[in-house]
């Protein structure tokens, strides 16, 4: 037994050797004194854009141009004012000032006696017509002429014409009203209706009324009143004279014969 124990005696140096060997293998993980390696993030390269002042300036100019075209922005800030005869006079002078002589411009001027009282923005359409034409019942009873109307109402669109026709119910009574616009109505149909029947009031757009007069389908010699839908504004806050096409057609219509009839005293103008 003694000999066996002697052969298997434990040598402390062997244990130290084993610990040293195992320590060498785990050293990288157990070395608390060493600082952990930190991986630095590389900064992403920032993109550099060259400034383009010309394109920016061009965009600014385009934005300003678009803003200038919006007349609704100007009208939205302006206060609502009732139209007066001087407004129509100034409009005619500006339109014809560059292309007409002084004598021709004088012939287009209208005196205050050519105008009916203007709407002060307190009237409905029926109440306004009752004020300017208190003897309407007698006028409509005496009117027997075909191809003509006693009262002509000019507005900017077909939809607005229908609105005015509905709003004059309290005034018109049993008189006949003719629609004088182009939407869904052919001009030949309107000419035929004027030739065969007697109508007291015509409501429509300046372009269609002008076309009917040029084709001799409508005569204004017996027309006593012409009303311009002057103060009404559409969804873009434009009045009829703020729309270039309607403005031009209305001025052409006035120049055809209406200004002359007003100067002669057979017709009067009203601004509703």
């Amino acid at each position: 037994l003694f000999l066996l124990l002697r052969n298997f005696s434990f040598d402390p140096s062997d244990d130290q050797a084993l610990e040293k060997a195992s320590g060498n293998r785990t050293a990288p993980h157990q070395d608390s004194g060493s600082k952990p390696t930190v991986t630095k993030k590389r900064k992403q390269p920032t993109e550099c854009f060259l400034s383009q002042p010309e394109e920016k300036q061009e965009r600014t100019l385009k934005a300003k141009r678009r803003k200038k075209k919006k007349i609704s922005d100007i009208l939205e800030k302006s206060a609502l004012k009732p139209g007066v005869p001087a407004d129509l006079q100034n409009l005619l002078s500006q339109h014809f000032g560059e292309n007409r002589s002084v004598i021709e411009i004088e012939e287009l001027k209208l005196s205050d006696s050519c105008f009916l009282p203007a709407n002060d923005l307190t009237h409905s359409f029926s109440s306004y017509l009752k004020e300017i034409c208190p003897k309407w019942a007698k006028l409509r009873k005496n009117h027997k002429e075909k191809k003509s109307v006693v009262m002509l109402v000019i507005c900017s669109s077909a939809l607005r014409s229908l609105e005015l026709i509905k709003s004059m119910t309290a005034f018109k009574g049993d008189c006949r009203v003719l629609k004088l616009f182009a939407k869904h109505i052919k001009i030949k149909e309107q000419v035929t209706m004027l030739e065969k029947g007697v109508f007291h009031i015509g409501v429509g757009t300046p372009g269609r009324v002008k076309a009917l007069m040029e084709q001799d389908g409508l005569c204004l010699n017996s027309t006593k009143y012409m009303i311009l839908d002057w103060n009404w504004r559409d969804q873009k806050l434009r009045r009829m004279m703020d729309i270039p096409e309607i403005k031009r057609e209305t001025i052409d219509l006035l120049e055809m014969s209406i200004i002359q009839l007003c100067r002669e005293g057979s017709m009067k103008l009203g601004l509703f």
Side-chain angles (χ1 to χ4, degrees):
L1 179 61
F2 177 76
L3 293 173
L4 288 173
L5 291 173
R6 186 177 180 183
N7 291 334
F8 291 95
S9 60
F10 181 74
D11 190 355
S13 61
D14 294 337
D15 188 26
Q16 292 178 359
L18 288 172
E19 289 182 358
K20 187 175 182 180
S22 62
N24 291 336
R25 287 195 301 267
T26 60
H29 304 286
Q30 294 178 355
D31 189 5
S32 60
S34 61
K35 294 182 179 179
T37 57
V38 179
T39 56
K40 294 183 178 180
K41 293 183 178 180
R42 302 179 96 186
K43 293 184 178 180
Q44 295 293 334
T46 56
E47 296 181 2
C48 180
F49 294 96
L50 296 176
S51 60
Q52 298 175 349
E54 294 182 359
E55 291 185 4
K56 186 176 181 181
Q57 186 176 5
E58 185 178 354
R59 287 196 300 268
T60 305
L61 289 174
K62 287 182 179 179
K64 287 182 178 179
R65 289 170 189 168
R66 286 196 297 268
K67 190 173 182 180
K68 287 181 180 179
K69 290 181 181 179
K70 292 181 179 179
I71 191 171
S72 58
D73 294 337
I74 301 173
L75 294 174
E76 188 176 2
K77 297 178 182 179
S78 62
L80 295 177
K81 295 180 180 180
V84 294
D87 295 334
L88 181 59
Q89 297 279 28
N90 294 333
L91 190 69
L92 293 174
S93 299
Q94 293 173 4
H95 183 78
F96 295 114
E98 298 180 357
N99 303 321
R100 304 295 175 91
S101 64
V102 177
I103 298 176
E104 289 174 333
I105 293 176
E106 285 293 328
E107 292 176 351
L108 295 173
K109 285 186 177 181
L110 297 170
S111 62
D112 292 341
S113 61
C114 298
F115 290 90
L116 296 162
N119 180 22
D120 58 0
L121 301 182
T122 62
H123 284 285
S124 66
F125 193 46
S126 285
S127 66
Y128 175 71
L129 296 180
K130 287 179 180 179
E131 179 182 344
I132 64 173
C133 187
K135 298 181 179 180
W136 174 248
K138 183 178 180 180
L139 285 173
R140 80 180 186 206
K141 184 178 180 180
N142 295 333
H143 179 65
K144 305 293 182 182
E145 296 184 26
K146 297 179 180 180
K147 298 175 63 175
S148 182
V149 293
V150 180
M151 180 180 294
L152 184 62
V153 181
I154 303 296
C155 49
S156 59
S157 67
L159 291 176
R160 178 58 179 168
S161 299
L162 295 175
E163 289 179 6
L164 290 177
I165 291 173
K166 291 179 181 178
S167 64
M168 67 169 66
T169 304
F171 168 78
K172 66 181 181 180
D174 58 354
C175 71
R176 299 186 67 188
V177 180
L178 183 60
K179 301 171 185 176
L180 301 177
F181 48 78
K183 190 173 184 179
H184 307 309
I185 305 176
K186 296 181 180 180
I187 191 169
K188 291 182 180 180
E189 296 177 4
Q190 293 169 335
V191 171
T192 302
M193 293 174 70
L194 285 165
E195 289 176 348
K196 294 182 178 181
V198 176
F199 292 89
H200 305 86
I201 301 176
V203 184
T205 55
R208 177 49 61 95
V209 173
K210 177 185 172 185
L212 287 167
M213 292 176 62
E214 290 173 342
Q215 296 187 20
D216 198 26
L218 177 65
C219 179
L220 300 183
N221 290 331
S222 61
T223 302
K224 304 298 181 183
Y225 304 99
M226 179 174 174
I227 312 301
L228 298 178
D229 189 26
W230 189 270
N231 297 304
W232 181 79
R233 295 174 184 261
D234 62 10
Q235 293 180 350
K236 297 181 180 180
L237 302 178
R238 300 175 302 178
R239 298 169 298 179
M240 62 181 297
M241 291 303 182
D242 295 322
I243 304 172
E245 182 180 358
I246 301 300
K247 174 184 174 182
R248 183 180 66 254
E249 290 175 343
T250 303
I251 292 176
D252 291 343
L253 178 62
L254 292 171
E255 188 184 13
M256 285 180 68
S257 61
I258 292 173
I259 291 178
Q260 183 62 32
L261 291 172
C262 290
R263 288 171 66 92
E264 292 173 357
S266 61
M267 184 189 297
K268 288 186 180 294
L269 280 173
L271 305 179
F272 173 65

